[in-house]
Structures are given as structure tokens and as C-alpha cells.
Amino acid sequence: MNTDDDVRPVAASSKRQLTKTTLIALLVAAGILVTTVLPAEYGLDPLGTGAVLGLMPLSGPPIVPEEVAVPAGALPTPVQEGPVAHYPVEYKFDAVEFTLGPYDYLEYKYQLERGAAMMFSWTASGALIHDFHGERIGAPSASAESFKKADTSRAHGSFTAPFAGIHGWYWENPGGEPVSITLTTTGFYSAAVEIRSDRTRHPHELRSMETVIGAIDRGAAAIP
Amino acid sequence: MTRRLTISAAFALLLLGAPGMSAHDEFRIIGTIAKRQESQLDVKTKEGKTISIALNKETFISRDKKKVAIAELRIGRSVVVDALGDSIDELVALEVRLVPSLAAAPAK
């Protein structure tokens, strides 16, 4: 037969054990979260374990950057001298056309280092839902930073990347008729990628300005 | 001791599973309804591919931004489906929009 004296110590001990067990579980979970889950799922690697364990590529579909010849010892980021920025990478040109089907969307983005600039101009045959935004490399798309959102059919301007990552446009056709988009850009980017609504990624080939100028010199009728 | 470790491991796994479950991509499927079952919708895209999408209680079905009954999802109707999934083969619909018949498909 149990008395109150028999029961009390057991109950107190269980509570302490439960608290201890919970704390251990939380510590284990937090450890695995920081060392494994965050690098693999979100590309966040605060302790560097993701890089050591080779988990970083799991955090998102890879972007295949175009090989860019960088002078030895030079960083691909611009060097600012007052109002002038010097870029140790090639000046690129890109011109693309898309046709967006009814209710469809796509994204077109460039890989730019922090401080790298580009000029752009795009026009569409109809009004589009549009979001000009950037994503840090390896970060989830949900963490994208929006620079300009508007329903419009054209935009022209210049852009200086506030952080290294992929930067560009989301265009959505809100209507039932196809809409064509023409985009022309120049700048200090190293890769371009088209991301369609089925989440497939299609790298685009970029051209250096030297190639374009060479084509003009040779009397090319049109630059696509 | 074994029991304590088991509980700890189970709790840790539960916590770890939570962020993984939310790490999905959002897909848009545009096409006509090829088949509908109680919890699944088959949509034939303009490319001719049929994609199966799971429906659940949270799936919002609408026409002109107004909620409509699941019975409105009839074979042959044009729909725009926004869905979450790790790949196009395992999607769960967030929203199914009934839209007017789709125009001729353009090549991308």
C-alpha cells in the first residue's frame, strides 16, 4: 500500500526528467536544424557545416553561370572611384523575346554581383502583372526582394544590384489572349536564366558587346 | 534511458520535419480538365501533357474571384491551377480558377 510519502518523490522526479528530456530534444533539434536543415533546405549556412558536408547544392536548382574571363587577381565586383565604377568583367548584351500564353507567367533574371549595373528596356503587346525583384544566391525564392511592382506594358531604366544574386522580372499575363514581350539589356551580368511557370530553368546565352559591335562593323542587317 | 532517448529522437524528428514540409515550389498548371475525382484533378496542358493535382479541403476553387463548388470542375473546362509541390508529379492545389476557354496556344 502506498502512502503520500511514497508517491511524492516519484512525481517530482518525473517532471524534472520530462523537462530535461524536452531540453535535450530541443538542443538536438536546434543543432541538426542549424548544421543540416538550414543549409540543405534554405541555403543558409551560419556555421559552414553545409559547405563542409556538401549540402548547399540541395537548397535549390543550380544556376549555371556563363564562364566569364576575369583578369587574374581581379574581383568581379565594381571598384568605385567617385562617380565612376570600374568593372573587371566583360560588358554584355542581351535581347530576348517571349510569348506569354493566357494566364501564364515567367521570370527572366540576370546574375549580378553587388554594385554591378545594367540598363534595360522592355515592352509588351498587352498589360502585364510585373514585379522587378532580386534573390540572393542560395536563398529561397520566398525571400525575394521586390524593387518595383506594377501592372504595366513597358519599362525602361537602369539598375544597380544592391546585393549579389539573380535579379530580374516576373511577368504574368492576366488575360485570355497571348502577350508578347521584348526585352533588351546591357550590363555587367554573368548569366541569364528563364524560369517558367512549371519551374523549369532555361539558361540563356549572353553576348559580349565586342561581338555585337563586330556584327555591326561587318554590316549585319539586324541584331536579334 | 532508452525511453528518454527515443522520446528525444522522436521530438527532434518532429521539429526537423516542419521546415521541410514548407519547402515547396509553386507551380502553375494551365489547361483543360481531363478527369476529376473526389480528391484529384487531371489537367491536360496546352503541350498535351496530363498532370494530376491533389485537391484538399484548403483548395480554393473560384470563377471571377468568387468561390464556387467543386462540382463546377467539369471535364473540358479551362482552368488555371496554382499548386505546391517538390516536383510537377506531386502537386497539391492551392487554388483552381475556372477561366474562359483558352486561346490558341503560343509557342514559348
Side-chain angles (χ1 to χ4, degrees):
Chain A
M1 184 177 171
N2 288 337
T3 65
D4 284 352
D5 289 339
D6 293 331
V7 174
R8 267 189 216 112
V10 174
S13 176
S14 292
K15 201 171 180 181
R16 201 165 50 240
Q17 272 187 348
L18 187 62
T19 306
K20 195 176 171 184
T21 304
T22 305
L23 286 174
I24 290 170
L26 281 172
L27 281 173
V28 170
I32 298 174
L33 186 74
V34 173
T35 57
T36 312
V37 179
L38 288 180
E41 290 280 1
Y42 301 105
L44 302 172
D45 194 16
L47 301 178
T49 50
V52 172
L53 297 172
L55 298 171
M56 297 308 285
L58 299 175
S59 61
I63 295 191
V64 184
E66 186 184 348
E67 287 294 328
V68 176
V70 179
L75 292 170
T77 47
V79 177
Q80 202 74 34
E81 282 183 13
V84 180
H86 299 277
Y87 296 83
V89 290
E90 266 188 308
Y91 187 46
K92 298 277 187 170
F93 171 84
D94 190 26
V96 283
E97 283 185 31
F98 310 101
T99 301
L100 264 182
Y103 311 107
D104 204 358
Y105 69 80
L106 68 79
E107 294 179 84
Y108 194 78
K109 295 177 178 176
Y110 295 100
Q111 186 168 338
L112 291 157
E113 294 301 321
R114 183 171 182 269
M118 72 169 171
M119 303 284 283
F120 64 86
S121 173
W122 66 266
T123 58
S125 61
L128 295 170
I129 297 168
H130 144 261
D131 181 4
F132 184 38
H133 63 282
E135 289 173 40
R136 288 173 172 82
I137 296 291
S141 56
S143 66
E145 189 174 320
S146 184
F147 308 124
K148 175 73 179 174
K149 271 185 185 178
D151 294 358
T152 183
S153 62
R154 63 185 63 238
H156 319 284
S158 64
F159 172 73
T160 302
F163 50 82
I166 55 171
H167 306 271
W169 297 265
Y170 165 93
W171 290 295
E172 179 178 344
N173 179 357
E177 298 296 326
V179 173
S180 59
I181 305 167
T182 304
L183 168 71
T184 308
T185 67
T186 57
F188 296 96
Y189 36 69
S190 57
V193 63
E194 176 188 341
I195 306 166
R196 296 181 186 165
S197 55
D198 61 3
R199 308 315 297 169
T200 54
R201 290 176 173 242
H202 305 267
H204 279 236
E205 190 178 341
L206 298 170
R207 286 176 291 166
S208 69
M209 280 305 284
E210 284 176 16
T211 312
V212 177
I213 292 165
I216 294 169
D217 287 346
R218 286 193 301 274
I223 301 166
Chain B
M1 184 66 183
T2 306
R3 191 175 163 196
R4 188 188 302 171
L5 282 174
T6 305
I7 293 169
S8 300
F11 194 43
L13 284 173
L14 190 69
L15 285 177
L16 287 169
M21 283 187 282
S22 64
H24 296 310
D25 270 330
E26 190 166 335
F27 294 75
R28 175 164 292 182
I29 312 298
I30 304 160
T32 54
I33 298 174
K35 189 178 171 187
R36 182 179 71 79
Q37 294 168 313
E38 195 173 325
S39 60
Q40 185 176 305
L41 188 68
D42 288 2
V43 177
K44 187 173 183 182
T45 67
K46 56 183 183 281
E47 291 85 12
K49 190 178 175 187
T50 300
I51 296 166
S52 296
I53 307 144
L55 304 172
N56 62 21
K57 286 178 185 172
E58 281 75 44
T59 303
F60 185 71
I61 303 164
S62 68
R63 183 192 288 124
D64 297 330
K65 297 180 181 176
K66 289 174 191 155
K67 186 173 181 176
V68 296
I70 193 169
E72 292 294 313
L73 300 179
R74 293 180 200 150
I75 292 172
R77 286 193 167 171
S78 296
V79 287
V80 176
V81 183
D82 285 323
L84 284 179
D86 287 329
S87 77
I88 204 152
D89 298 320
E90 42 178 312
L91 297 176
V92 178
L94 293 173
E95 182 177 4
V96 181
R97 275 191 287 152
L98 285 155
V99 295
S101 288
L102 297 167
K108 265 186 182 174

